Amino acid sequence: MKTFTDKVAAITGAGSGMGRSLALELARRGAHLALSDIDDASVAFTAAACRDFGVHVTARRLDVSDRDAVFAWASETAEMHGKVNFIFNNAGVSLSVPVATARLEDIEWLMNINFWGVVHGTQAFLPYLTASGEGHVVNTSSLFGIVAMPTQSAYNASKFAVRGFTEALRMELDLAGSPVTATCVHPGGVATNIVHTSRIDDSITTLTGMDAQTHRRRANKLIDVTSADAAARQILAGVSHNARRVLVGADARRVDKLARLLGASYQALVVWFYRRTAVARKPRATAADAARYE
């Protein structure tokens, strides 16, 4: 699909971050939009900004973990816009906790949004994408869908699952000779609100030497590599060229190469790095500390 002009794109998580930037960039290119987000006010703000480009925009609150609601939104989108050409399954959340102390309800919360939200969106929109004669499923995985990290087991599981799901879908569509195709997106550090809204368990201190607030500050620095606007442009460039995989940001490309070069050995490198930084964060003993044991 070489152009977005007069196409109809549905986007989840459109209230902020990459979702909002994708919506604005698509509107700038002449695409009509169906926007959704769990936050009413934020998606309404995005919709108003997109309408300034003279395109047809609809917006609604949506919990992507609610299968019936997603299917209802897909039907509503097709009815209100007349067709649907793209579904960007972009909504996502994060969770930082060691496996040993992770609560099942937190893992289920994350999987219901990050993975099942993608499944719901894909299945709900596929019939309408097929009917359009030119459709595209764009699913957001992560750099953490390529490599794993300590305390990120649930997030890794969801993003690896999105990657496998999307790659299998792409092959099925190719085999069927479908007018629909699929792309898996792997953002590296993109400046969004995901860390601010993430769940971070204090038990990570035992592994990382950081409390929850320190972890959040460090994570915010790590994701501040690529702006959401630049990420949106890179994603749309990949989609327009029908790429099977889009690596967003120089950090994502570097880590992908490193993972392919090292294979499973990258895990030992990560463990070494965490141990080294944990030791560096330990406070040095002072003379007063030593005196307590004299």
Side-chain angles (χ1 to χ4, degrees), residues 121-236:
T122 299
Q123 291 188 325
F125 279 91
L126 261 178
Y128 304 109
L129 300 179
T130 302
S132 76
E134 192 178 21
H136 207 127
V137 178
V138 186
N139 292 336
T140 301
S141 176
S142 169
L143 175 57
F144 286 0
I146 295 173
V147 296
M149 288 288 154
T151 76
Q152 297 298 304
S153 58
Y155 188 77
N156 283 137
S158 71
K159 295 304 186 178
F160 271 82
V162 168
R163 174 185 171 185
F165 175 81
T166 308
E167 291 181 2
L169 170 67
R170 169 78 179 231
M171 290 185 283
E172 290 175 6
L173 294 169
D174 288 348
L175 281 169
S178 172
V180 182
T181 189
T183 294
C184 193
V185 176
H186 295 271
V190 178
T192 69
N193 289 330
I194 193 167
V195 174
H196 295 293
T197 58
S198 67
R199 296 183 183 182
I200 303 176
D201 195 281
D202 283 329
S203 61
I204 65 169
T205 304
T206 59
L207 285 179
T208 66
M210 293 181 285
D211 60 22
Q213 291 204 5
T214 303
H215 179 87
R216 197 182 299 275
R217 285 196 300 271
R218 184 169 178 267
N220 272 319
K221 289 181 180 178
L222 289 174
I223 69 168
D224 195 13
V225 176
T226 304
S227 72
D229 290 346
R233 290 191 294 270
Q234 290 176 41
I235 292 168
L236 294 184

Side-chain angles (χ1 to χ4, degrees), residues 11-175:
I11 308 172
T12 66
S16 64
M18 285 198 313
R20 175 174 288 170
S21 292
L22 279 168
L24 288 166
E25 188 61 31
L26 283 163
R28 189 175 291 112
R29 300 184 189 198
H32 308 291
L33 302 168
L35 308 178
S36 68
D37 197 279
I38 193 69
D39 187 307
D40 277 316
S42 65
V43 75
F45 182 88
T46 301
C50 290
R51 289 188 184 106
D52 289 342
F53 292 95
V55 296
H56 181 208
V57 183
T58 56
R60 61 167 289 176
R61 182 188 181 279
L62 181 72
D63 178 355
V64 297
S65 69
D66 184 337
R67 183 175 177 84
D68 290 340
V70 176
F71 272 73
W73 177 52
S75 175
E76 172 189 294
T77 297
E79 182 178 350
M80 297 182 74
H81 288 269
K83 64 177 181 178
V84 190
N85 301 103
F86 298 92
I87 172 63
F88 289 83
N89 289 306
N90 168 77
V93 292
S94 70
L95 168 67
S96 298
V97 61
V99 172
T101 52
R103 298 185 304 170
L104 183 59
E105 55 265 37
D106 284 336
I107 297 174
E108 289 176 338
W109 163 76
L110 180 141
M111 292 298 292
N112 284 340
I113 296 168
N114 288 11
F115 177 63
W116 286 111
V118 168
V119 174
H120 297 160
T122 299
Q123 291 188 325
F125 279 91
L126 261 178
Y128 304 109
L129 300 179
T130 302
S132 76
E134 192 178 21
H136 207 127
V137 178
V138 186
N139 292 336
T140 301
S141 176
S142 169
L143 175 57
F144 286 0
I146 295 173
V147 296
M149 288 288 154
T151 76
Q152 297 298 304
S153 58
Y155 188 77
N156 283 137
S158 71
K159 295 304 186 178
F160 271 82
V162 168
R163 174 185 171 185
F165 175 81
T166 308
E167 291 181 2
L169 170 67
R170 169 78 179 231
M171 290 185 283
E172 290 175 6
L173 294 169
D174 288 348
L175 281 169

